[in-house]
Amino acid sequence: AFDDQIANGAQFGITNNRDTACPITGVGSDGLPTYDFATCTDAALSANPPTGATGGADWWKSWYFSDGFHPTPYGHQLAFQLISR
């Protein structure tokens, strides 16, 4: 079901299922992107939409991933709906 949500994001109200809503702030010693909590709050995200983001200040609420691993609150909601069936 997760693969279906990623492959058919628009059907689930997902406007971006590839990029991370939180901005990358660096690169760790493992070569993976790093993120900073201060730049990943709802207020920070709403105040700093990335180029091309749609939806105004709430743009991030329809993206699937917060960072390289964690879903956004909406991503969590979709996962919960799968689990609660």
Side-chain angles (χ1 to χ4, degrees):
F2 170 76
D3 290 339
D4 187 37
Q5 290 175 351
I6 297 302
N8 302 296
Q11 286 182 278
F12 298 93
I14 300 167
T15 59
N16 187 312
N17 56 13
R18 189 185 70 174
D19 300 314
T20 62
C22 299
I24 296 170
T25 57
V27 177
S29 60
D30 56 5
L32 296 174
T34 58
Y35 304 87
D36 184 324
F37 180 76
T39 63
C40 199
T41 64
D42 57 349
L45 293 172
S46 293
N48 299 296
T51 302
T54 59
D58 291 337
W59 65 270
W60 57 273
K61 292 183 179 181
S62 62
W63 283 34
Y64 201 91
F65 295 104
S66 290
D67 59 23
F69 179 77
H70 300 97
T72 60
Y74 186 58
H76 278 283
Q77 179 184 340
L78 291 173
F80 174 76
Q81 289 171 352
L82 294 173
I83 294 166
S84 66
R85 289 184 185 176

